[in-house]
Amino acid sequence: ASADYRSGTNEAPVQEAVASRLRPGDVFYDLGANVGLFSLLAARIVGPEGAVVAVEAHPEVHAALLANVARNRLGNVTTFAVAVADETGRRSFAEADHPGGGALDPTGDADFAVGHVEVDVVRLDDLVERHGLRPPTMVKLDIEAGELAALRGAEATLRSARPVVLVELDAPSAFEVEAKRELVAVWLERLGYGTESLAPSYPNRSWHVVHVLATPHEPAT
C-alpha cells in the first residue's frame, strides 16, 4: 500500500471528515476499502457498539484488508470481497500498477490495466438486505470509477438511512473531474443532500482528485 498509510498522512482532509462525523455506536460503510486505512480509523472511533462494513473487490487487496483487521484486533469490522455497482453478478476488474488504482472495467480493455480478474459485483441495497446489515451513519465511496452506478445501487439505503456520504472522484484533468463532481452532486441533491468539496488531499499533482462530502438536509422524495 501507499507509504502514506504507514506515516498516517494519507488524505488528511478525508481522515478529518471521517473522524469529525463519527461517534461511538455509529456504522461506517467503507466502499473501496483497499487495505483498510479508513476502516481501521472508523472502527476505533465507533467502538465495540458500532460497526464497520468494509468492501474491497480485488482478492489480494482484500486479503491484506483482512490481515490488517486481524492485526489490529478489531471485532467490529465485517469485510466483503465484492465490488459495488448498479447490478449484482460478475464483472471484469482491471488491475492497475498500484494497489489503489484498480476498477471495474466494463469494456475489458482499460488503458491503465496491467491485468484483469473476475470479481463479484453487487448493489449495496442487495448486500444490506441479504446480510441484514445495520444502516450506515456514514458511507465512504472510493472505487476509481463508476461512482454514479454505485450510488444508484445504494439508492434505497440512502433514502432510508440518510447517511453522510463521502465520494472520491479523480480524472486526468480539472475539467473532467469537475464534470464528474457536478454529476454526482446533482444526483445526490435529488435525494435531498447538500454537497461540498473538501480541501485538496493531493495539491500540486498532475492527476486531479476531489472529495465530495454530502450531508442530508431534508427527507428524500
Side-chain angles (χ1 to χ4, degrees):
S2 168
D4 292 344
Y5 286 12
R6 183 177 181 87
S7 68
T9 60
N10 184 75
E11 297 183 351
V14 184
Q15 292 193 56
E16 174 60 28
V18 171
S20 65
R21 286 163 177 80
L22 288 178
R23 300 289 183 270
D26 282 349
V27 179
F28 181 74
Y29 285 12
D30 193 357
L31 310 180
N34 200 264
V35 299
L37 174 69
F38 289 100
S39 290
L40 301 185
L41 171 66
R44 294 195 180 281
I45 294 170
V46 303
E49 301 302 317
V52 172
V53 174
V55 173
E56 173 53 49
H58 193 282
E60 292 181 5
V61 180
H62 182 261
L65 168 65
L66 284 174
N68 284 329
V69 170
R71 184 176 294 117
N72 284 272
R73 301 177 182 177
L74 296 168
N76 58 350
V77 180
T78 302
T79 74
F80 294 94
V82 299
V84 286
D86 56 359
E87 62 181 348
T88 294
R90 295 276 291 177
R91 291 265 297 276
S92 174
F93 187 91
E95 301 173 298
D97 60 1
H98 61 94
L104 288 177
D105 180 15
T107 65
D109 60 356
D111 293 339
F112 63 84
V114 297
H116 290 84
V117 60
E118 290 290 312
V119 300
D120 291 322
V121 299
V122 64
R123 297 169 69 252
L124 182 65
D125 292 341
D126 293 342
L127 190 71
V128 170
E129 181 177 4
R130 184 182 306 161
H131 296 278
L133 301 178
R134 290 171 58 182
T137 308
M138 186 173 192
V139 175
K140 190 219 83 184
L141 180 64
D142 179 3
I143 59 173
E144 304 301 322
E147 294 83 12
L148 279 175
L151 289 169
R152 286 194 295 268
E155 182 169 348
T157 299
L158 298 183
R159 286 185 178 276
S160 61
R162 311 303 287 154
V164 172
V165 180
L166 181 56
V167 183
E168 178 177 293
L169 304 166
D170 67 307
S173 71
F175 174 81
E176 290 171 279
V177 80
E178 175 58 23
K180 285 186 174 184
R181 190 205 65 78
E182 181 65 19
L183 287 172
V184 166
V186 168
W187 194 91
L188 286 166
E189 286 163 5
R190 181 176 64 85
L191 297 187
Y193 280 82
T195 62
E196 62 181 292
S197 296
L198 299 183
S201 288
Y202 302 100
N204 306 316
R205 292 195 184 182
S206 58
W207 191 265
H208 295 264
V209 181
V210 171
H211 292 96
V212 176
L213 183 70
T215 306
H217 55 69
E218 61 184 41
T221 58

